[in-house]
Amino acid sequence: MWWGKMKQDEIKKLLPEVFERTVRPGNPMTALLDVMEHMHTPSEEILARLDTYFNPYTTPDAFVAYLAGWVDLEMFLSEAPEDFADSTPPTFPSGVGRLRELVASVAYLSKWRGTGKGLLLFLETATGVQGYTVDEHVKDKDGLDIPYHIRVNAPATTAPYEPMIRRIIQLEKPAYVTYELEFEKPRRAASKRR
């Protein structure tokens, strides 16, 4: 690595010569250099593993939201990334693991933006659930196709994510297209016959 740990001897070389000459064991200047060495340690530890912060799979949970903001996904967080403390990162409705997947996939997903395939991929990645469908031939009450209108059918298990799903559809569909969202009916467990 191009950086090294800032030890007392290295810090001493950065001081003006008049201060450098006063450094002797047991004097206040030596104690000050010791404090300065210890103050660099947290920053040096982060710099030693800086690359892990930019990988959505290895970054600390609290930093995933910042990565999401960098790739224009902050609108899916419950709070803006700049408005949270390190101890309380903003929440993603389907969990931080799903947010990691979404951040990692954002370049690929952007290639398909505005298409049915892109919408399905985005929804599946964000929720971790498969089984979405997009109906591009929605009929009105007279049996005619509703122009520029889609129906997104979502698995019943994704109902708790409805606000996020609606935001995804709104942002991923073409601007001129209207939509409706329907959730599958939950399946009942088969009753036991006697």
Side-chain angles (χ1 to χ4, degrees):
M1 291 184 200
W2 56 271
W3 61 85
K5 290 200 174 246
M6 290 296 289
K7 299 292 181 190
Q8 283 188 30
D9 292 338
E10 295 166 354
I11 297 170
K12 178 181 165 186
K13 292 175 187 172
L14 298 173
L15 295 174
E17 189 176 329
V18 68
F19 291 115
E20 202 175 323
R21 285 183 287 181
T22 63
V23 176
R24 301 209 193 307
N27 75 4
M29 193 58 125
T30 304
L32 183 62
L33 289 176
D34 187 43
V35 169
M36 291 174 74
E37 179 180 325
H38 284 68
M39 288 178 69
H40 283 273
T41 301
S43 300
E44 289 170 347
E45 288 172 356
I46 289 173
L47 287 173
R49 55 188 172 86
L50 188 61
D51 57 322
T52 64
Y53 279 83
F54 302 111
N55 181 334
Y57 297 116
T58 59
T59 194
D61 286 352
F63 202 73
V64 177
Y66 281 115
L67 293 181
W70 293 347
V71 293
D72 201 26
L73 295 174
E74 69 273 353
M75 73 279 300
F76 301 112
L77 302 174
S78 61
E79 303 170 37
E82 61 275 1
D83 295 339
F84 72 90
D86 289 339
S87 59
T88 58
T91 57
F92 186 65
S94 53
V96 72
R98 289 284 98 213
L99 184 56
R100 288 176 189 275
E101 287 294 330
L102 203 54
V103 170
S105 304
V106 78
Y108 180 76
L109 292 171
S110 68
K111 177 171 100 170
W112 293 101
R113 190 166 189 185
T115 67
K117 178 180 179 172
L119 178 57
L120 293 174
L121 287 170
F122 202 113
L123 289 168
E124 290 173 353
T125 305
T127 62
V129 178
Q130 305 229 338
Y132 292 89
T133 59
V134 175
D135 182 2
E136 296 177 357
H137 301 286
V138 181
K139 307 285 186 201
D140 64 13
K141 62 183 177 193
D142 298 324
L144 301 171
D145 277 358
I146 303 172
Y148 308 111
H149 184 79
I150 61 172
R151 177 183 298 127
V152 177
N153 298 299
T157 57
T158 62
Y161 308 135
E162 182 176 354
M164 178 181 69
I165 291 170
R166 287 190 182 280
R167 277 182 280 175
I168 291 170
I169 296 169
Q170 194 67 29
L171 292 167
E172 293 300 308
K173 69 173 183 59
Y176 58 86
V177 173
T178 58
Y179 78 95
E180 58 190 79
L181 173 63
E182 289 186 3
F183 290 93
E184 294 175 351
K185 302 279 188 245
R187 294 182 184 175
R188 292 184 175 192
S191 59
K192 294 182 181 179
R193 293 185 181 179
R194 293 183 189 200

